[in-house]
Amino acid sequence: MASTLAQTFAEFATGLADKQVPDAVRDAAAWHVLDSIGVSIAGASPHEESGQAARRLAAKWRGEGATIFGINQKVRPELAALVNGSLAQALEMDDKHGSSLARPGSTVVPAVLAVAEERNASFRDVITAVTIGYEVMIRLGFVGGDRFLERGYHTSSLIGSFGAAAAVGRLVGATPQQIVDAMGICGTFASGIQESTRTGSTSKILHGGWGAHAGILAIDLAQSGITGPDSVFEGKFGFFQTHLTPVKGELDFAKAAAGFGSRWYLPETAYKPYPCCQLLHAFIEACKQLLVQFKRDGVSLDQITRISCQLAEPGLTLVTEPKERKKAPQTPHEARFSLMFGVASALVFGDVGLETFRADRLGNQRVLKLASLVEASVDPDSDYPAHCPAILEIEAAGKTYRSHVPHHPGCPEAPLSKDDVLDKFARNSGWLFGSGTREVGAEIAATPERDTMRAIVKRLGEAGVTVLSGATA
């Protein structure tokens, strides 16, 4: 009898030897761990809504187990994973794999780091577990593709728990059957709706945290004797059928089960340079390109009469509707998912950063004036979700300027270098580590695999203790 997909995942998770993971993949995993810690710290900033909420939760849930990054407070590991994963998604800078739409950095990594700290696991074990979780989550994303988004679901909480369960199962020494049971339990936990991106509410940031949290709980439950269906993925009432019925096209379970140990997807996962929906990233690059042309031609922003953007569905609807709210977002989270606000901000300020989406920027009249000119339509040639390309046309001073950016920054065709990742870590964590932030990041990325997770967390805590005490005073 052929193995189910859950059984294939479980055999991979328990059978993979450390030495079977190529050095390049292990190195990539270490850098994604660094990036994930950095984006969690960014979300923990006292200047952000998410950071303020995390501090209240840390005080309420205070305990032993694992650390909430940026706050240096311990709680139970499943709660640390919930908070760290949510902080990682709070500013929309967690990593993302292209065609699978998987975001393992805010699900797999927080789960693994929390359990690893509690158990004082080695960084070697962390890297192997993280690699397993990325590979499982990305492959599940291949089965669903962009159909979850089209239905209004979000992949982080839907498929994140499965990757987290595989990774944590490996870390704690679960048996293959226990991991299968945990995946069946994750099917029961699967959730996550996208309505918050239309309303500006912050509940969407919980999706990463919930995937991390649910994966840990599922392993705990399975090891305690709760069982789950091994047909959780293929079954008539399984995960994909219940969430995607009526299913459009064929579900590609074969691709999800193929290539374990020979085809590695983790290194293809994109770092996100901007704190907003990835669909906006290529448009930000396009704005930068056209600003160079404006300067060359002596064109001012006041001479712009039309701004046209083309991108693919279902992403187009996600970042453009409801139109009036997207043109004048009322909350930071709503602004992060506004194509109009993102393009206008990039044109006005020449770049997009952490400050772009804070409350004091939302009423900027120059930005709102340009945002009101932005219109969007479908790009029939887009290869989304493999990439998030942008076609931007701006009419100004009687001339039409056009930029086509086929690959969003951070993807394999337009990768961020290690220096870029360190720069991002410095931007995200500077509020905590001060002038030495980049060095802190470089040290974490170069952690010897023999070191323990507690030693890493201790170094982070010591590096940030002075700045942290001042920031929270």
Side-chain angles (χ1 to χ4, degrees), residues 8-340:
T8 299
F9 288 159
E11 291 296 335
F12 171 67
T14 57
L16 182 69
D18 296 333
K19 63 183 180 182
Q20 289 178 287
V21 182
D23 290 345
V25 177
R26 300 187 73 82
D27 183 62
W31 280 88
H32 280 280
V33 167
L34 171 70
D35 182 61
S36 297
I37 291 173
V39 295
S40 291
I41 291 173
S45 167
H47 300 294
E48 305 293 348
E49 293 176 294
S50 51
Q52 296 161 20
R55 281 166 176 75
R56 290 189 283 269
L57 289 171
K60 184 173 185 177
W61 291 345
R62 185 185 302 270
E64 294 300 321
T67 301
I68 297 176
F69 294 121
I71 298 176
N72 206 28
Q73 173 63 56
K74 286 189 177 182
V75 297
R76 289 178 56 88
E78 68 273 18
L79 297 178
L82 173 62
V83 177
N84 286 331
S86 299
L87 292 174
Q89 277 208 7
L91 307 185
E92 287 298 313
M93 281 189 291
D94 53 318
D95 62 22
K96 185 176 181 182
H97 182 270
S99 56
S100 73
L101 297 179
R103 297 169 68 165
S106 57
T107 48
V108 171
V109 173
V112 169
L113 297 190
V115 174
E117 183 182 354
E118 181 195 38
R119 299 173 66 87
N120 202 26
S122 70
F123 198 51
R124 176 179 293 103
D125 291 340
V126 165
I127 293 303
T128 301
V130 163
T131 300
I132 289 167
Y134 270 63
E135 295 299 321
V136 167
M137 188 176 175
I138 289 168
R139 284 171 164 80
L140 275 178
F142 290 149
V143 181
D146 63 359
R147 287 173 283 196
F148 286 123
L149 182 59
E150 187 176 356
R151 290 290 299 274
Y153 289 120
H154 190 225
T155 56
S156 291
S157 49
L158 281 179
I159 64 176
S161 62
F162 298 108
V168 171
R170 166 55 179 258
L171 197 62
V172 303
T175 67
Q177 186 56 51
Q178 287 170 338
I179 293 178
V180 170
D181 287 331
M183 290 198 172
I185 295 166
C186 286
T188 289
F189 289 161
S191 60
I193 59 173
Q194 286 275 24
E195 185 63 13
S196 57
T197 63
R198 294 169 54 84
T199 64
S201 61
T202 53
S203 61
K204 180 186 173 293
I205 77 171
L206 301 176
H207 293 175
W210 180 255
H213 177 77
I216 295 175
L217 291 184
I219 287 293
D220 284 348
L221 291 166
Q223 289 191 309
S224 299
I226 303 297
T227 60
D230 60 6
S231 56
V232 59
F233 300 120
E234 300 92 343
K236 179 179 179 180
F237 299 120
F239 170 69
F240 287 102
Q241 289 293 339
T242 54
H243 285 76
L244 292 179
T245 295
V247 176
K248 294 183 178 180
E250 296 295 321
L251 297 174
D252 194 353
F253 293 113
K255 182 176 182 179
F260 278 115
S262 59
R263 177 66 169 91
W264 303 93
Y265 292 102
L266 184 157
E268 299 174 3
T269 306
Y271 301 100
K272 293 172 68 177
Y274 301 116
C276 55
C277 178
Q278 193 176 53
L279 291 161
L280 276 58
H281 289 201
F283 283 98
I284 295 169
E285 295 295 313
C287 287
K288 291 180 179 181
Q289 292 178 8
L290 294 191
L291 284 173
V292 172
Q293 296 181 37
F294 287 177
K295 184 177 181 179
R296 177 198 65 198
D297 295 347
V299 173
S300 71
L301 299 184
D302 293 335
Q303 293 175 286
I304 294 176
T305 56
R306 183 181 71 91
I307 303 173
S308 172
C309 302
Q310 284 185 277
L311 66 163
E313 283 285 20
L316 186 153
T317 298
L318 182 72
V319 295
T320 62
E321 294 183 7
K323 183 180 293 186
E324 293 312 309
R325 292 188 67 133
K326 296 297 187 181
K327 289 196 173 188
Q330 300 301 301
T331 71
H333 197 66
E334 193 170 25
R336 296 182 200 283
F337 285 86
S338 166
L339 177 66
M340 293 79 164

Side-chain angles (χ1 to χ4, degrees), residues 412-459:
E413 294 82 1
L416 267 62
S417 68
K418 289 181 178 179
D419 278 339
D420 292 331
V421 177
L422 283 177
D423 288 342
K424 176 185 173 183
F425 182 85
R427 293 193 300 272
N428 286 339
S429 307
W431 70 268
L432 178 61
F433 299 124
S435 60
T437 302
R438 206 172 188 278
E439 290 71 23
V440 172
E443 182 181 355
I444 298 302
T447 298
E449 290 198 353
R450 65 179 179 276
D451 280 12
T452 66
M453 192 61 217
R454 287 182 190 169
I456 296 170
V457 172
K458 182 180 179 182
R459 287 200 294 271

